[in-house]
Amino acid sequence: MKILLLGKDGQVGWELQRALAPLGELRMLGREGADFAEPESLRACVRAFAPDVIVNAAAYTAVDKAESDADTAQRVNALAPGVLAEEAAACGAWLVHYSTDYVFDGSKEGAYVESDATRPLSVYGSTKCEGEERIRASGARHLILRTSWVFAARGGNFAKTMLRLAKEREQLNVIADQHGAPTSAELIADATALALHSIRDAGAAGPAMSGTYHLVAAGATTWHGYAQYVLEQALAHGAPLKAGPQQVQPIATEAYPTPAARPRNSRLDTHKFQTTFGLQLPDWRHHVNRLIAELAEQGQL
C-alpha cells in the first residue's frame, strides 16, 4: 500500500506518521511540500507519487481567525480537499479526510449521527462542510472522519492551556454549557490505520466501506468538566498548581464571547464506525490520562 500523508506536522499528522508506517510505503509532506492555500498545486503532489491512499491531515483550524480570513479557510478546507478527491478518483486511490463537529449547529438533544442535517454556525464549520461535499461529489472512494476536541502532547490544545493557566492563576473560569468528547490525536491515528487495514483485508468488499463516519472517544463532558479532570490528574502527578479542580468556575458561553459561534452540543455517535471496522473506542479519560502521564515524564507539568 502506497500512502501519501499530507499535513504531517500537525497534531493528528504527527501521530499518523507512526500509525501509518507499518501499512506500506509512506510519503509524508508538510506545508513546504504541499501548499493547501494553492489547491491546484496539490495535483502534482498526488501524480508524482501515484498513491493507493491519500491521507489529508492538513486543515485551517484557527476557528476565530477564519471569520475574517474566509478566503484562505475556504481554499484550505474546501477547495483543496476537492482537488485531492478529484485526483484520488482519477488514479483509483482512497482519500482519508478529517472533518469536524462544527458542521453541526449543536441544537440536537442527543448525539449526532452521520445522516443528520449539517448546519454550521461559523466560517470554519462552513468550509469544512463544503470540503466534505466536494469529496462526496468527486466519486472517489473515501473515509470522511468527523472528530472533535482534539488534543495531543505535541502542539497547543485546551488541556495544556488549562495546565499553564492553573500555574499562573488561583481561579479559572471555563465554559460549562458546551458538550463533547475530548479525542486524542493518537486515537484518531490508530483508528485510521486500523480502518485502512480492514479495507485492505476486505478485498472486493472494501469499496462498500466508503463513506462518512464519526470518530471520537467514548463518553462526553463539558469544557468545565474536562478542565477539572485535567487538573485533578496533574495534581496526582505532583504538578505545582495554584488552581485545582475546585477553583475551576463554570460559566456560560455568553460570558466568553468569541468571533466564531461554537456548537453547544458536539456529541457524535460512533456506532457506525465501530460496527463497520470492528473497533471499540475508549472513554475520553483514557487518553487524557496518557497525556498527563507523558507530560509528567517530560517534566512539562
Side-chain angles (χ1 to χ4, degrees):
M1 187 181 285
K2 292 176 67 178
I3 304 172
L4 176 61
L5 170 61
L6 304 168
K8 70 180 181 71
D9 297 316
Q11 289 188 122
V12 175
W14 182 257
E15 292 293 341
L16 282 165
Q17 292 187 45
R18 168 193 56 78
L20 296 176
L23 293 180
E25 181 183 354
L26 179 61
R27 175 172 292 184
M28 305 172 294
L29 296 177
R31 191 171 299 173
E32 70 289 344
D35 185 2
F36 275 65
E38 298 294 338
E40 288 298 320
S41 69
L42 299 175
R43 296 189 190 278
C45 298
V46 177
R47 293 173 187 176
F49 188 54
D52 300 305
V53 180
I54 303 165
V55 180
N56 175 30
Y60 186 111
T61 57
V63 175
D64 289 321
K65 186 181 177 185
E67 293 296 309
S68 58
D69 190 19
D71 180 64
T72 305
Q74 192 204 20
R75 277 184 276 135
V76 175
N77 290 343
L79 301 183
V83 167
L84 293 176
E86 289 169 6
E87 291 299 317
C91 68
W94 280 79
L95 173 62
V96 179
H97 175 75
Y98 300 96
S99 193
T100 172
D101 55 300
Y102 280 64
V103 300
F104 299 115
D105 67 5
S107 63
K108 185 177 179 178
E109 287 296 320
Y112 281 93
V113 295
E114 288 81 356
S115 58
D116 282 330
T118 55
R119 196 174 292 113
L121 301 173
S122 63
V123 168
Y124 168 71
S126 296
T127 59
K128 293 295 288 184
C129 194
E130 184 184 342
E132 289 189 9
E133 291 165 356
R134 287 176 178 270
I135 291 169
R136 293 189 198 101
S138 72
R141 291 173 295 173
H142 61 270
L143 297 180
I144 295 172
L145 304 175
R146 292 178 180 148
T147 190
S148 72
W149 297 21
V150 178
F151 69 88
R154 175 185 171 90
N157 55 62
F158 176 81
K160 293 170 78 172
T161 298
M162 291 299 104
L163 290 169
R164 175 177 58 80
L165 292 176
K167 293 177 184 177
E168 302 170 356
R169 304 177 185 177
E170 295 181 352
Q171 180 176 303
L172 304 180
N173 297 321
V174 182
I175 291 171
D177 57 1
Q178 294 176 19
H179 300 261
T183 302
S184 78
E186 181 180 31
L187 173 60
I188 294 168
D190 288 342
T192 300
L194 289 167
L196 288 173
H197 192 272
S198 294
I199 289 170
R200 182 171 65 180
D201 284 357
M209 297 177 177
S210 177
T212 301
Y213 297 87
H214 290 168
L215 172 55
V216 293
T221 186
T222 64
W223 292 111
H224 176 260
Y226 183 14
Q228 286 189 311
Y229 189 79
V230 165
L231 299 188
E232 177 186 305
Q233 293 301 305
L235 286 175
H237 281 83
L241 305 180
K242 289 184 178 180
Q246 301 311 310
Q247 285 71 52
V248 182
Q249 302 301 311
I251 63 170
T253 295
E254 290 78 11
Y256 188 71
T258 54
R262 269 72 171 167
R264 300 290 182 100
N265 175 22
S266 290
R267 289 171 289 190
L268 304 178
D269 186 307
T270 59
H271 179 77
K272 179 183 175 184
F273 183 87
Q274 295 187 91
T275 302
T276 301
F277 298 109
L279 299 174
Q280 181 173 329
L281 297 169
D283 185 86
W284 63 270
R285 298 173 187 85
H286 175 80
H287 282 89
V288 173
N289 292 349
R290 285 176 54 82
L291 168 70
I292 302 303
E294 185 175 343
L295 293 175
E297 288 173 9
Q298 296 171 352
Q300 293 187 41
L301 291 182

